[in-house]
Every structure is written in structure tokens, then in C-alpha cells.
Amino acid sequence: MAEHRSMQRAALLDAARSLLSEGGTEALTFPALAERTGLARSSVYEYFRSRAAVVEALCEADFPVWAAEVEAAMADAEGPEGRIEAYVRKQLELVGDRRHRAVVAISASELDAGAREKIRAAHGGLVAMIVEALAGLGHAEPRLTAMLLQGVVDAAVRRVELGAAEHPDVIVRAAVSLALDGVRG
């Protein structure tokens, strides 16, 4: 029974990822989740009390995986500047990934305070990785610089997501260049 419940929960989360990546937060509704999974709408409520609860569960499942990929890319890079470049590049490379699209849609949505706090905490872990690289470059304000750098990444992610006029490679190059020129000061 527990295994069956866990499979249904996983199916619901997978359906939520698809809905978010296809249509953003507006597409994530309980009727749509029920339709995608073949469950009754009342069954969806047995797993999640609200959309925010679905989003929170997605964050708990997906953000660590996404962050681990960024962390691995940084670990493979040479020196602080290489780690900063890997940090920017990997996040932009993951834009097409459904898990990432779901996380982006989630970040943009109206969430309850608990879900927002969990996202902030997870994001904080990502930012902490870059603080160390910035400290290695001798930055006086590595934490502030890391947050601003993440702002550049977030803006580039949105630009790619929106299907901006520029090719994604151009956006990646511009973001990396801005990040590296900025951290060199």
C-alpha cells in the first residue's frame, strides 16, 4: 500500500512538472493533475492540500538535484574564475530541463510563506557555493556579490525561457562575460 501511494505521489509530481513546464503556474491545477494521472480529483487532495503544497514537494524533490548538478560542474572547474563560469553556464544549460523549468515557474509564482522559505533556503545553498569562489578571488563582499551574480543568472534564465530574440548561446556568452568581468572588478 505504501509503495502504491509513493508511486501515485511520484506520478502526481511528474504531472506537475509537465504542467509547469508547458504552461507555467496557471496550468498547475488539481483538475489538470487528476486528468494527467488518471486519478480522481478527490484523490489528488489526499496527497496535497493545495497547489502550494505541490510546489513545495517539487522544490524538495527537484532543487537539490539541480543544485547538485551545478555543484558538480563547479567542482570540475579550475580555479575560482572557472568555478564562477561553471556556476553561470550550468544553470543556463539546465534551462531546457523539465525539473529546472518547474523550479523557475515555481520561483515566479505566488507561494505561501513556508514554500517561499524552503526555496530561499535551497537557493541559499546554491549561492553559498559561489561565495567561496568569490572569497577565493579576494572579494571584500563575497555574499553580496554572489547574490548580485545570481540576479544576473536569473535574468539570463528568464531571457532564455521567454524565447528572446537572441540565440540562447548569445545570452549564455553575455551572462558569463558579465559575471567574469564583474567579479574581476
Side-chain angles (χ1 to χ4, degrees):
M1 183 66 195
E3 191 178 322
H4 179 68
R5 279 190 65 79
S6 136
M7 280 170 60
Q8 283 190 329
R9 183 174 159 49
L12 283 165
L13 289 177
D14 202 50
R17 271 181 209 102
S18 295
L19 290 165
L20 282 166
S21 73
E22 289 160 20
T25 47
E26 301 76 47
L28 180 61
T29 64
F30 279 33
L33 282 172
E35 190 181 318
R36 286 281 168 109
T37 55
L39 292 169
R41 200 183 315 181
S42 59
S43 297
V44 177
Y45 282 99
E46 287 175 31
Y47 292 90
F48 302 106
R49 67 187 183 285
S50 64
R51 274 176 15 144
V54 176
V55 162
E56 216 170 299
L58 270 179
C59 281
E60 284 172 14
D62 293 353
F63 209 103
V65 176
W66 182 51
E69 289 184 42
V70 175
E71 196 167 9
M74 288 176 72
D76 289 343
E78 291 288 314
E81 281 190 19
R83 284 194 287 284
I84 290 162
E85 180 171 347
Y87 177 82
V88 174
R89 276 191 191 282
K90 191 63 179 180
Q91 287 189 66
L92 289 164
E93 193 183 294
L94 290 169
V95 169
D97 183 288
R98 263 178 356 128
R99 283 184 324 247
H100 178 266
R101 282 210 298 271
V103 169
V104 169
I106 286 162
S107 303
S109 70
E110 289 304 304
L111 297 173
D112 66 29
R116 268 200 310 273
E117 193 43 55
K118 282 196 171 127
I119 292 170
R120 259 199 300 278
H123 227 257
L126 210 49
V127 171
M129 291 184 230
I130 208 71
V131 170
E132 196 178 317
L134 290 164
L137 289 173
H139 262 267
E141 294 284 345
R143 182 120 190 103
L144 172 63
T145 306
M147 287 186 213
L148 295 174
L149 179 60
Q150 185 59 45
V152 168
V153 174
D154 292 342
V157 164
R158 276 192 301 278
R159 196 102 190 119
V160 172
E161 289 267 314
L162 293 170
E166 308 87 4
H167 189 276
D169 292 346
V170 173
I171 297 169
V172 171
R173 274 197 307 277
V176 166
S177 162
L178 187 60
L180 292 177
D181 291 348
V183 298
R184 286 179 193 126

